[in-house]
Amino acid sequence: MAFSRTKPPYPPLVGTTKPSFAYVTIKDRMPVIVAQVVDTVYRGYMNLETNPTNQERIREAKRIVEELGRLRYEMQTDKPLRPLEPDSHPDFEHWNKVLAHELPGNTWYTASWLFSECYMYRRIYQMFAHTTHWATYDYFAESKQSTFYASHKAVGALAERILTMVKGLRASEEATTPENRELAFKELAQASLWGNRTDLSLLVNLNLADIHTIQNGNDKDVEAYILANDLPMWWKMVQLWKGERLDIVLDNAGIEVFADMVFAHWMVQAGYCTKVVFHCKAIPWFVSDTTVDDFHWVVNTCCDRFRSAGYHDFEHLSSLTQLAKQWQAYLANGTWELRADSFWTLPDPFWNLPVVAPGLHQDLRQAATVVFKGDLNYRKLMHDCDWPSTTPFSEAIGTLAENGTRLPVVALRTSKADLMVGMPKGRKEELDGLDPKWMVSGKYAVIQASLE
Ligand code: F6P
Ligand code: MG
């Protein structure tokens, strides 16, 4: 991996800025996430019988818990960020180069927020990677899975909806008019967008009722919360496709990735795409991000595990099974492909993609559109810095809109960080007046595109 070189054109978001969401995240949210991992591991080994076979497993788990405690202490006392130790994931060298060249002597609060936050997840991963018995253990799996079960009503409703829409595609010509196709495209792209509200790193203490409220939305006119909407521009392009490749850089598992699958399903069934590449995370990331295992888990759960998990009388079971069987076939015949490049779990902004991961960048250029889901991907697209909110989206994605390194980018993001571009003059100030937390609440969203 080549070493990154781009610099943000404005000051990076940092934890030393008070008040800011970066500060609150490092001070309050990140230590809670570490504590949750401690709790998961603790429960994991306390349930093990203390027989000779488990001895080493328990010893390793106790060591992880100790190391997590140390990490929390380093974070809370703002110690300098130390280099990663070598581990099975060869990207550690890149992390250490960034630390040595760009951040020497920096601490959790003085380093860029983007670096500190990604670094925490990489440090946690390392503790497990160093063990024999816990190396492949996903300490976030339990919360990802239980949230998906808790979302079953929204999942079932969406499954019924897509099956009806696909039936419509086969029905009379009248039902498949360009207007109807446009409506379907917009509805499903927006379902994928709003799926991004259920981010578990932000919603750490959610209960079932909260999840239902978020997913059903209390507001009738959700479109009013989409502050920039380039869907019409994207649709203009998509309606000319005759079997293109669509790439989706995924964000969260559970209902969000389910909605992404539904969107991809329609794009294939409607004949616009013959291939959809889903980019997953290579390691557990930002609590709820989708790994390859999570993707399969969602498909397999829709296929048959709802029943075994006790949802016998769930009215949408057979629709879900029908849909998921089709998805299993897509995965088997290559119509859908899963990839997990380690670039997505580096601390690098996407401006560095052409230099740091040239192979991945070249590959993404085969896609007719690369969709970036969620808030963290948006921050990385923007170099996570303090842009004037009126900056055009294409300017803020830097190298990804420049000649020679351009990608056809669409961002679908609900806003959960102090960062927003592409706003008309005065809009930010107006929203600041309405709600000082509008940028971090997840209530507002953008659909922004750079397509040429
Ligand atoms: O914690 C920082 C952050 O990037 C937030 O901005 C956001 O709440 C979360 O992590 C990730 O959100 P998403 O899952 O949408 O990328
Ligand atoms: Mg996420």
Side-chain angles (χ1 to χ4, degrees), residues 199 251-252 285-286 288-289 376:
D199 148 39
D251 186 7
N252 302 309
W285 196 244
F286 278 69
S288 40
D289 281 21
L376 179 63

mmCIF file of all heavy atoms in Angstrom, residues 199 251-252 285-286 288-289 376, ligand 2:
data_model
loop_
_atom_site.group_PDB
_atom_site.id
_atom_site.type_symbol
_atom_site.label_atom_id
_atom_site.label_comp_id
_atom_site.label_asym_id
_atom_site.label_seq_id
_atom_site.Cartn_x
_atom_site.Cartn_y
_atom_site.Cartn_z
ATOM 1 N N ASP A 199 -27.895 3.442 13.006
ATOM 2 C CA ASP A 199 -26.457 3.225 13.147
ATOM 3 C C ASP A 199 -26.179 2.958 14.618
ATOM 4 O O ASP A 199 -26.461 3.776 15.478
ATOM 5 C CB ASP A 199 -25.736 4.471 12.629
ATOM 6 C CG ASP A 199 -24.438 4.736 13.364
ATOM 7 O OD1 ASP A 199 -23.752 3.764 13.668
ATOM 8 O OD2 ASP A 199 -24.145 5.912 13.627
ATOM 9 N N ASP A 251 -22.640 0.497 4.293
ATOM 10 C CA ASP A 251 -22.414 0.996 5.643
ATOM 11 C C ASP A 251 -22.938 -0.059 6.631
ATOM 12 O O ASP A 251 -22.320 -1.114 6.768
ATOM 13 C CB ASP A 251 -23.077 2.374 5.797
ATOM 14 C CG ASP A 251 -22.762 3.007 7.131
ATOM 15 O OD1 ASP A 251 -21.930 2.455 7.869
ATOM 16 O OD2 ASP A 251 -23.343 4.054 7.467
ATOM 17 N N ASN A 252 -24.077 0.193 7.236
ATOM 18 C CA ASN A 252 -24.477 -0.655 8.364
ATOM 19 C C ASN A 252 -25.193 -1.944 7.963
ATOM 20 O O ASN A 252 -25.896 -1.994 6.957
ATOM 21 C CB ASN A 252 -25.368 0.152 9.303
ATOM 22 C CG ASN A 252 -24.632 1.391 9.774
ATOM 23 O OD1 ASN A 252 -23.505 1.292 10.253
ATOM 24 N ND2 ASN A 252 -25.223 2.558 9.601
ATOM 25 N N TRP A 285 -16.327 -3.024 12.524
ATOM 26 C CA TRP A 285 -16.037 -1.605 12.289
ATOM 27 C C TRP A 285 -17.213 -0.725 12.688
ATOM 28 O O TRP A 285 -18.345 -0.981 12.285
ATOM 29 C CB TRP A 285 -15.754 -1.448 10.782
ATOM 30 C CG TRP A 285 -15.083 -0.190 10.352
ATOM 31 C CD1 TRP A 285 -15.612 0.773 9.546
ATOM 32 C CD2 TRP A 285 -13.751 0.242 10.652
ATOM 33 N NE1 TRP A 285 -14.696 1.778 9.340
ATOM 34 C CE2 TRP A 285 -13.548 1.469 10.017
ATOM 35 C CE3 TRP A 285 -12.706 -0.287 11.425
ATOM 36 C CZ2 TRP A 285 -12.352 2.188 10.108
ATOM 37 C CZ3 TRP A 285 -11.520 0.413 11.518
ATOM 38 C CH2 TRP A 285 -11.350 1.635 10.866
ATOM 39 N N PHE A 286 -16.962 0.305 13.436
ATOM 40 C CA PHE A 286 -17.983 1.291 13.826
ATOM 41 C C PHE A 286 -19.276 0.613 14.283
ATOM 42 O O PHE A 286 -20.375 1.032 13.930
ATOM 43 C CB PHE A 286 -18.235 2.278 12.674
ATOM 44 C CG PHE A 286 -17.194 3.385 12.639
ATOM 45 C CD1 PHE A 286 -15.886 3.111 12.288
ATOM 46 C CD2 PHE A 286 -17.529 4.692 12.966
ATOM 47 C CE1 PHE A 286 -14.913 4.114 12.282
ATOM 48 C CE2 PHE A 286 -16.571 5.705 12.953
ATOM 49 C CZ PHE A 286 -15.263 5.408 12.610
ATOM 50 N N SER A 288 -21.718 -1.166 13.816
ATOM 51 C CA SER A 288 -22.745 -1.820 13.013
ATOM 52 C C SER A 288 -22.389 -2.028 11.544
ATOM 53 O O SER A 288 -23.219 -2.494 10.766
ATOM 54 C CB SER A 288 -24.053 -1.023 13.102
ATOM 55 O OG SER A 288 -23.809 0.361 13.061
ATOM 56 N N ASP A 289 -21.159 -1.699 11.132
ATOM 57 C CA ASP A 289 -20.849 -1.825 9.702
ATOM 58 C C ASP A 289 -20.873 -3.294 9.237
ATOM 59 O O ASP A 289 -20.627 -4.218 10.011
ATOM 60 C CB ASP A 289 -19.494 -1.181 9.401
ATOM 61 C CG ASP A 289 -19.625 0.336 9.306
ATOM 62 O OD1 ASP A 289 -20.610 0.880 9.838
ATOM 63 O OD2 ASP A 289 -18.751 0.979 8.708
ATOM 64 N N LEU A 376 -20.045 7.871 7.799
ATOM 65 C CA LEU A 376 -18.583 7.765 7.810
ATOM 66 C C LEU A 376 -18.035 7.825 6.384
ATOM 67 O O LEU A 376 -17.036 8.504 6.115
ATOM 68 C CB LEU A 376 -18.145 6.467 8.500
ATOM 69 C CG LEU A 376 -16.630 6.270 8.530
ATOM 70 C CD1 LEU A 376 -15.933 7.364 9.329
ATOM 71 C CD2 LEU A 376 -16.266 4.902 9.086
HETATM 72 MG MG MG B 2 -21.733 2.632 10.093
#
